[in-house]
């Protein structure tokens, strides 16, 4: 157990808070509420909050080199200024699947955007994962997925980690940054039913996995080879969706949650469901978010 005090960072009850990203240029946390089609920008220095409202659900955001962000909306991938909200369409890897939306995504160490899709009703094997290149072409790297979630890279170990929530597992691949491929699948962790479901995740600078337990009410730090739990953070809400390190020293852990699907009784018992939390000054550090290479 980590001996630190959990604080509320943003007291807004998101239906499906997700995709937290620390912006080192604006020194703020951006995150999305997928079901409300909103992007939130939280500035810890003065505790202010700005909201960018969009026309379509946005599953993930990721920083670009020029200071803008990529936003994976249900209608495609856009380049967007935050918090102004000016958006420009870039690409649509799935024009053939209007019943899908994009879920989790991040930029790899080489500056390419990896983004996963899923069926809006979570139908099996309808999703895929794509890589968007700086020239706005893309390729499919995984097919017939159901609920793709957290992803991250350990470049020094040539490892790519990916959560399959429907299989309650965290998987590891060998990552080829030149060919932009993933091979040698190994399941690192399979969650027991009482642990909830693995959701969003991030790596710290020691290569350890931090993963949110949706339905399990916690975040755990796990060893990438054994799956052993090295640390645990309990939250006052059950539906924990993702986490990311931020702050000047990258030792503040921000955690998003969701109120989606909770009964009236559950909402009464979990009045902070959907809030975004922070655990400050941890003895662990994260890393800067990779940035999408400047678009010509």
């Amino acid at each position: 157990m980590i001996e630190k005090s959990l604080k509320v960072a943003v007291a807004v009850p998101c239906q499906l808070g997700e995709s937290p990203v620390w912006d080192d240029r604006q020194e703020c946390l951006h995150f999305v509420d997928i079901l409300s089609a909103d992007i939130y920008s939280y500035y810890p220095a003065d505790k202010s909050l700005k909201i960018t409202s969009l026309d379509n659900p946005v599953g993930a955001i990721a920083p670009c080199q020029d200071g803008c962000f990529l936003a994976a909306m249900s209608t495609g991938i856009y380049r967007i200024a935050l918090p102004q909200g000016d958006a420009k369409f870039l690409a649509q890897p799935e024009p053939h699947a209007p019943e899908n939306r994009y879920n989790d995504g991040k930029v790899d160490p080489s500056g390419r955007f990896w983004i996963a899709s899923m069926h809006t009703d979570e139908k099996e094997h309808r999703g895929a994962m794509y890589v968007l290149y700086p020239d706005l072409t893309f390729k499919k790297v995984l097919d017939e997925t159901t609920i793709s979630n957290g992803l991250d890279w350990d470049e020094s170990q040539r490892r790519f980690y990916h959560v399959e929530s429907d299989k309650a597992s965290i998987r590891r691949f060998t990552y080829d940054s030149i060919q932009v491929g993933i091979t040698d699948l190994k399941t690192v962790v399979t969650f027991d039913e009482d642990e909830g479901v693995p959701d969003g995740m991030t790596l710290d600078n020691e290569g350890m996995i931090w993963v949110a337990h949706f339905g399990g009410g916690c975040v755990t730090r796990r060893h990438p080879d054994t799956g052993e739990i090295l640390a645990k953070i309990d939250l006052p809400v059950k539906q924990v969706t993702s986490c990311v390190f931020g702050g000047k020293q990258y030792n503040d852990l921000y955690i998003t949650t969701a109120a989606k699907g909770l009964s009236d009784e559950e909402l009464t018992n979990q009045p902070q469901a959907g809030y975004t939390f922070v655990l400050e000054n941890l003895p662990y550090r994260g890393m800067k978010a990779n940035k999408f290479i400047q678009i010509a």
Side-chain angles (χ1 to χ4, degrees), residues 116-119 123-129 142-148 162 164 166 171:
S117 66
M118 61 178 285
H119 193 278
K123 291 183 179 179
E124 291 186 347
H125 312 306
R126 299 293 186 89
M129 183 177 289
L142 285 176
D143 202 3
E144 297 186 352
T145 58
T146 301
I147 307 177
S148 285
H162 171 235
E164 279 200 319
D166 54 298
R171 311 191 301 169

Side-chain angles (χ1 to χ4, degrees), residues 8-20:
V8 172
V10 181
V12 172
C14 290
Q15 286 300 299
L16 189 54
E18 271 284 6
S19 193

Side-chain angles (χ1 to χ4, degrees), residues 3-64:
E3 298 297 331
K4 290 284 183 179
S5 295
L6 189 72
K7 299 179 181 179
V8 172
V10 181
V12 172
C14 290
Q15 286 300 299
L16 189 54
E18 271 284 6
S19 193
V21 180
W22 179 257
D23 186 338
D24 59 297
R25 290 165 293 207
Q26 297 190 56
E27 295 191 351
C28 73
L29 178 79
H30 304 292
F31 61 97
V32 309
D33 184 353
I34 295 177
L35 299 184
S36 299
D38 289 332
I39 302 175
Y40 292 90
S41 301
Y42 168 66
Y43 299 82
D46 62 4
K47 302 188 184 309
S48 62
L49 183 68
K50 298 180 181 179
I51 304 173
T52 304
S53 296
L54 303 172
D55 295 330
N56 295 283
V58 52
I61 54 175
C64 301

Side-chain angles (χ1 to χ4, degrees), residues 35-159:
L35 299 184
S36 299
D38 289 332
I39 302 175
Y40 292 90
S41 301
Y42 168 66
Y43 299 82
D46 62 4
K47 302 188 184 309
S48 62
L49 183 68
K50 298 180 181 179
I51 304 173
T52 304
S53 296
L54 303 172
D55 295 330
N56 295 283
V58 52
I61 54 175
C64 301
Q65 280 187 341
D66 65 356
C68 288
F69 275 73
L70 297 180
M73 299 169 64
S74 57
T75 52
I77 300 170
Y78 291 74
R79 180 174 175 269
I80 187 168
L82 291 177
Q84 296 92 333
D86 302 323
K88 177 184 178 183
F89 176 80
L90 299 181
Q92 171 56 301
E94 287 195 331
H96 56 281
E99 69 280 6
N100 281 5
R101 69 165 176 84
Y102 294 104
N103 202 36
D104 216 340
K106 282 183 183 175
V107 176
D108 72 15
S110 297
R112 297 167 291 230
F113 184 49
W114 295 51
I115 182 66
S117 66
M118 61 178 285
H119 193 278
T120 53
D121 293 328
E122 301 182 4
K123 291 183 179 179
E124 291 186 347
H125 312 306
R126 299 293 186 89
M129 183 177 289
Y130 301 89
V131 178
L132 180 71
Y133 292 87
D135 64 0
L136 304 185
T137 59
F138 52 85
K139 87 171 190 178
K140 187 185 293 185
V141 290
L142 285 176
D143 202 3
E144 297 186 352
T145 58
T146 301
I147 307 177
S148 285
N149 257 308
L151 63 163
D152 211 344
W153 294 260
D154 183 336
E155 188 175 18
S156 65
Q157 299 290 326
R158 297 180 57 238
R159 291 174 169 180

